[in-house]
Amino acid sequence: MIRFALVCANGHEFESWFASNESYDFQIANKLVSCPYCNGTGIAKAVMAPAVARAVGASAKPAAAPKQNVALLGEADGGLRDMARELHQKIVAATVDVGTEFAREARRIHDGEAPERPIRGQTSPEEARALLDEGVEIMPMPASPEDLG
Ligand SMILES: [Zn+2]
């Protein structure tokens, strides 16, 4: 079983368990998963990205770091781990790292103000949701086991 953090088109966040990635893909493609809050079926995986550092006032409480999605795989699933690592490496190889400028750059590309090219970087969950709402087709990076250290 794999647990995914999901987000609906209206920005509601919830979690759901799936037998496998394939099961997730099938259920999403066939609109079998609906938002528990609004029943919407425009479901996507919540973006897992490190939070952008935010300036906090002296009196403001520091923002809690968002939780990272992790999976514990059994012996038989070792191939999945390799696939995730391979996919991660492929995305890294195919994209330009724009770091914390990601949201700004993604918008510029979306608006035709910057040359279209694959980029990766960090953004906050709120910003990622805003981008998706604006029709910018971003996707979560698969974590490589090395990233979790
Ligand atoms: Zn919803």
Side-chain angles (χ1 to χ4, degrees), residues 7-14 35-40 43:
V7 61
C8 84
N10 291 321
H12 301 127
E13 286 179 273
F14 58 101
C35 171
Y37 302 99
C38 68
N39 256 336
I43 308 293

Side-chain angles (χ1 to χ4, degrees), residues 47 49-50 52 91 95-110 117-124 127-129 131-132 136-141:
V47 174
V52 178
I91 292 176
T95 54
V96 177
D97 188 1
V98 296
T100 55
E101 291 292 293
F102 180 83
R104 197 174 69 90
E105 200 58 24
R107 277 202 182 89
R108 291 184 62 214
I109 292 171
H110 184 70
R117 65 201 192 283
I119 59 171
R120 69 179 190 280
Q122 295 92 43
T123 192
S124 66
E127 194 68 53
R129 202 174 306 127
L131 285 167
L132 286 167
V136 184
E137 291 189 7
I138 59 171
M139 60 173 279
M141 284 272 294

Side-chain angles (χ1 to χ4, degrees), residues 27-121:
Q27 292 191 47
I28 294 297
N30 290 280
K31 300 195 185 304
L32 299 176
V33 183
S34 60
C35 171
Y37 302 99
C38 68
N39 256 336
T41 53
I43 308 293
K45 280 183 208 172
V47 174
M48 16 179 203
V52 178
R54 260 175 287 188
V56 288
S59 61
K61 281 187 231 157
K67 293 191 171 51
Q68 191 150 19
N69 294 306
V70 291
L72 174 67
L73 301 175
E75 287 287 309
D77 299 316
L80 279 176
R81 197 163 43 226
D82 293 340
M83 276 170 56
R85 183 182 288 124
E86 191 182 334
L87 183 57
H88 181 90
Q89 287 167 349
K90 279 188 177 157
I91 292 176
V92 167
T95 54
V96 177
D97 188 1
V98 296
T100 55
E101 291 292 293
F102 180 83
R104 197 174 69 90
E105 200 58 24
R107 277 202 182 89
R108 291 184 62 214
I109 292 171
H110 184 70
D111 296 340
E113 293 166 10
E116 191 168 335
R117 65 201 192 283
I119 59 171
R120 69 179 190 280

